[in-house]
Amino acid sequence: MALAKYLFCSFALLMAGCATMQLPQNLSTAVLDSDDLQTVSDGLPSYLLLVDALTLTYPKNEQLQLTAASLNSAYAGVFIPENQSTRRKQMSLKALQYAFDAFCLHDKNACALRELDIEALAQELPRWNKEKDLPFLYTLGTAWASYIQVNSDDWLVIAELGKAEAILKQVVALQPDYELGTAQLYLGVMNSILPPSLGGKPDVARDYYEAALQAGDGKNLIIYVYYASNFARLIFDQELHDSLLNTALNLEADVPGYTLQNTFAQKLARDLLATSNDYF
Amino acid sequence: MRSFIVAMLFIAMLAPAQALTLKISTEYPDGNFVLKELRQAGDDVEKRTDGRIRFKFYPGGVMGNAAAVLRKIRIGQLHGAFIQSGALANLNPDSQVLNAPLLFRNFEEVDIVRAQLDSEIEKGYQQSGWHTFGLVEGGFAYAMTNKPATNLSVLREQKIWLPANDPLSEKIASTFKINPIVLNISDVLTALQTGAIDAIVAPPVGAIALQWHSKLGYLTDAPFMYTYGIVAVSEKALRKVSVEDLQILTEEFTAASQSIDQQARRDNLDAFDALQQLGIEVVNLSSQARNSIELEAQGATQELIRSGEFGSEIYQHVVDVLSEYRNE
């Protein structure tokens, strides 16, 4: 799932929070524009602890809660290995809780969101229709989706998929190109979990991926990678798979604010291309 | 010349003579537990046979529906499949006996019957040209409704969904005098949302994975049908495989099938519990209602036997095993 994006926006948010601690502003830019995944992987846990501490220090600061949600969710999804499932689950749960808390601080009407069933949620969502609501909707939707992904062995959690999808649809309804198409990408991934014979809707997924590519404008390379790994592999289209990955590799990774994510995307693209002939 | 022969021998040692790539189709998508188990089994077979047997998996139903997969196996384009039992029913009709309506009351009964019947059912597959590795549980399909379905009359009043291209289910519905609404599986959620249907017969895992649970209120605790699948490889594809390699293949894929079987059981039980926690009310039948519905099911089953869906002999075997267990 397109988790990598969390990481990159979360640094900006983290640094916004850290400004109060007088940490250098340029650090945010340096991390986002880094092309060294290993350094970020090694260094990020320190920031996780830092942001946890900051949320305790400033419990009413919605921006910090938002940052904590993004950062924990990103680290759980991108850097904790799949075989450490307990760690991933704990961290993604923490991220989800931060996302709910952030939304609750932003608007008290959102404090009971977790308890709503899908129909009640769908009725409530149109209330958040302003640009200022987008970061909270987006962070909650993506953190929830990631929480579901790492808890795919828990049927109670899987049952929440429709709610995460509804929130992300609200993001897309408000601003289709938000975060260079990442919300669209999530919806594409959610709709390509199952093949048609088991109830999936690849056509719906394809539309989301295509919309994400358009919104990404060639700058958000992770879209190409997940389009290939989650859709092209699902429908067994090697030509599409390889074409998307080669495009990702040929595009410029050095995009301000996206360099780290794009570097990660290109690493995944190389790995997927290396196994293409074995898979297809 | 001598160096040429040595080179050829060397190449022959690198590339296993008679390397066979078995092409296996399944509806499960990549990344799913089933695919992971099958791929692991395939890798283990390849290692243990020094590359003499390799595998290529075609996930997500990309090889088409069951009929298309069987056709491709017949012409050698594929060699096997992890497939729902119904797909092979034409070749091994008795395999459908476990799908008889309302045959089982719970999973304990399934275990008792399968302990005695699995080998008999597998023998049927083998006699019809398949190499198989054990039955793999799909689970129970339950009636899920928006009104408590305490008997068949209530169920008949519902707008009940039935999957397209499922002849046995259609026949069962017909024998129960249920007029189903036939839809593709991907259209069910929309149909529930719009009220085009208001009841389904489905396994709890499916109801949650496809978010159908959010539009349903009740589950009748009378397993309507038991389903299972099987990994089947055409015997024709294995003719040239040595006895030793066939043994390795059988060991690895039997272990994988058992692992998937056990996981399916856990998933079914967990999903059933989850449905209740999600607010679906379980409707328990009174003993009178249960007797009545089972009696109707037995009548329906006799019709299935008469129309050749499965034999009376194997059905009687199942009934005997169940009676003995229930009378203990």
Side-chain angles (χ1 to χ4, degrees):
Chain A
M1 193 164 287
L3 292 162
K5 182 58 198 157
Y6 287 147
L7 184 58
F8 310 101
C9 60
S10 57
F11 274 107
L13 295 166
L14 172 62
M15 290 309 125
C18 289
T20 59
M21 310 286 287
Q22 297 183 327
L23 281 179
Q25 191 76 30
N26 285 344
L27 188 56
S28 168
T29 309
V31 171
L32 290 168
D33 291 346
S34 168
D35 60 2
D36 185 348
L37 291 168
Q38 189 63 52
T39 297
V40 175
S41 173
D42 292 345
L44 205 53
S46 306
Y47 292 104
L48 290 176
L49 293 172
L50 176 63
V51 78
D52 282 347
L54 284 169
T55 58
L56 291 173
T57 310
Y58 305 100
K60 301 291 182 194
N61 185 324
E62 61 191 48
Q63 209 62 38
L64 270 175
Q65 301 283 339
L66 210 55
T67 302
S70 303
L71 205 55
N72 279 282
S73 189
Y75 193 78
V78 176
F79 291 116
I80 299 182
E82 278 188 30
N83 60 8
Q84 295 181 20
S85 63
T86 305
R87 261 188 89 203
R88 293 181 96 200
K89 287 179 181 182
Q90 286 169 342
M91 199 170 282
S92 68
L93 176 60
K94 188 163 74 166
L96 181 60
Q97 194 52 55
Y98 276 132
F100 277 117
D101 290 348
F103 213 153
C104 178
L105 286 168
H106 172 66
D107 182 348
K108 64 179 187 322
N109 291 308
C111 294
L113 271 183
R114 185 86 201 255
E115 281 71 48
L116 299 182
D117 65 27
I118 181 73
E119 282 178 5
L121 179 67
Q123 282 177 353
E124 282 294 303
L125 280 173
R127 144 198 315 270
W128 295 290
N129 56 9
K130 309 268 187 328
E131 193 178 345
K132 64 177 182 166
D133 300 323
L134 272 168
F136 299 94
L137 288 166
Y138 174 80
T139 304
L140 179 58
T142 50
W144 210 339
S146 304
Y147 170 71
I148 294 166
Q149 187 197 16
V150 301
N151 286 279
S152 60
D153 56 349
D154 184 333
W155 291 98
L156 278 175
V157 176
I158 293 168
E160 296 176 344
L161 192 63
K163 297 183 191 178
E165 187 174 5
I167 292 167
L168 287 166
K169 279 182 175 171
Q170 179 68 1
V171 173
V172 169
L174 287 176
Q175 190 176 322
D177 62 351
Y178 190 67
E179 293 291 338
L180 283 184
T182 307
Q184 305 260 21
L185 174 61
Y186 267 88
L187 289 166
V189 171
M190 284 176 169
N191 282 280
S192 44
I193 295 171
L194 293 172
S197 57
L198 297 179
K201 293 184 174 180
D203 290 345
V204 175
R206 188 198 296 267
D207 289 346
Y208 279 125
Y209 286 116
E210 289 294 331
L213 283 183
Q214 198 171 353
D217 195 25
K219 296 173 188 160
N220 190 354
L221 306 190
I222 201 76
I223 298 168
Y224 298 86
V225 174
Y226 286 114
Y227 194 175
S229 64
N230 290 48
F231 182 81
R233 287 199 174 209
L234 180 79
I235 65 163
F236 224 66
D237 187 337
Q238 185 172 21
E239 193 180 342
L240 174 66
H241 177 267
D242 292 1
S243 162
L244 286 164
L245 296 174
N246 282 316
T247 304
L249 289 172
N250 289 327
L251 283 167
E252 182 55 66
D254 188 3
V255 175
Y258 283 82
T259 304
L260 187 62
Q261 171 169 309
N262 287 343
T263 305
F264 176 68
Q266 289 188 329
K267 177 186 175 300
L268 289 179
R270 279 189 290 274
D271 293 346
L272 286 165
L273 270 177
T275 58
S276 176
N277 285 336
D278 285 340
Y279 183 86
F280 291 101
Chain B
M1 185 64 181
R2 187 174 162 186
S3 62
F4 174 76
I5 292 169
V6 170
M8 285 299 103
L9 283 172
F10 183 64
I11 289 167
M13 285 167 67
L14 286 178
Q18 298 181 328
L20 170 69
T21 299
L22 292 173
K23 297 177 178 177
I24 310 292
S25 167
T26 173
E27 287 192 331
Y28 286 93
D30 201 43
N32 179 278
F33 178 80
V34 171
L35 248 291
K36 284 181 185 167
E37 286 293 313
L38 294 180
R39 284 192 193 282
Q40 186 60 55
D43 288 347
D44 291 343
V45 169
E46 184 174 340
K47 271 183 213 149
R48 288 180 63 192
T49 62
D50 296 323
R52 289 186 296 279
I53 303 179
R54 293 171 181 168
F55 289 86
K56 199 165 187 76
F57 293 98
Y58 296 88
V62 293
M63 282 292 165
N65 62 20
V69 166
L70 293 178
R71 192 179 65 247
K72 285 170 183 171
I73 291 173
R74 269 198 302 278
I75 61 174
Q77 195 178 337
L78 286 170
H79 304 110
F82 178 30
I83 203 160
Q84 287 306 306
S85 60
L88 300 175
N90 284 343
L91 301 166
N92 182 20
D94 281 353
S95 65
Q96 293 196 107
V97 70
L98 299 183
N99 307 134
L102 292 138
L103 183 65
F104 302 109
R105 291 175 184 167
N106 50 50
F107 280 118
E108 287 74 31
E109 292 191 350
V110 170
D111 292 340
I112 295 291
V113 168
R114 279 192 49 189
Q116 297 200 36
L117 265 288
D118 274 18
S119 57
E120 196 173 333
I121 289 170
E122 278 212 273
K123 200 181 289 172
Y125 288 122
Q126 285 149 17
Q127 286 167 352
S128 52
W130 297 96
H131 195 87
T132 57
F133 310 92
L135 276 51
V136 178
E137 184 155 290
F140 283 138
Y142 295 89
M144 286 179 247
T145 56
N146 277 314
K147 283 182 186 167
T150 48
N151 56 54
L152 275 173
S153 300
V154 176
L155 202 58
R156 286 188 187 109
E157 291 163 8
Q158 311 302 306
K159 290 179 277 183
I160 192 162
W161 165 69
L162 207 65
N165 305 315
D166 187 346
L168 183 67
S169 295
E170 281 178 37
K171 200 166 270 186
I172 289 172
S174 163
T175 55
F176 273 106
K177 298 179 180 61
I178 290 172
N179 291 318
I181 293 168
V182 178
L183 295 168
N184 284 321
I185 192 167
S186 53
D187 296 326
V188 172
L189 182 59
T190 307
L192 282 169
Q193 285 166 338
T194 59
I197 59 170
D198 53 18
I200 59 172
V201 175
V205 290
I208 293 178
L210 293 158
Q211 308 291 304
W212 299 338
H213 67 277
S214 61
K215 297 290 168 190
L216 295 161
Y218 300 92
L219 178 151
T220 303
D221 192 13
F224 203 82
M225 185 197 271
Y226 180 74
T227 61
Y228 71 94
I230 194 149
V231 180
V233 178
S234 162
E235 288 283 7
K236 195 168 70 177
L238 299 173
R239 270 182 203 152
K240 292 180 181 171
V241 174
S242 70
V243 174
E244 293 78 15
D245 285 355
L246 194 58
Q247 178 62 28
I248 291 169
L249 177 78
T250 304
E251 282 172 16
E252 295 297 341
F253 276 85
T254 300
S257 294
Q258 285 170 354
S259 173
I260 299 167
D261 187 49
Q262 288 158 9
Q263 181 63 40
R265 173 65 58 88
R266 285 193 292 274
D267 280 342
N268 278 302
L269 293 172
D270 290 349
F272 189 95
D273 287 345
L275 280 178
Q276 293 178 78
Q277 292 182 59
L278 291 163
I280 303 269
E281 191 178 317
V282 173
V283 178
N284 291 304
L285 296 180
S286 66
S287 56
Q288 191 186 358
R290 186 178 290 278
N291 286 340
S292 161
I293 202 170
E294 285 182 353
L295 210 59
E296 285 208 52
Q298 285 161 20
T301 301
Q302 290 305 326
E303 278 196 46
L304 294 175
I305 291 170
R306 273 195 293 278
S307 64
E309 293 298 330
F310 46 84
S312 59
E313 201 174 316
I314 194 161
Y315 176 64
Q316 194 54 51
H317 187 176
V318 175
V319 169
D320 290 345
V321 173
L322 281 174
S323 299
E324 190 182 337
Y325 174 69
R326 287 173 185 173
N327 292 330
E328 269 177 10

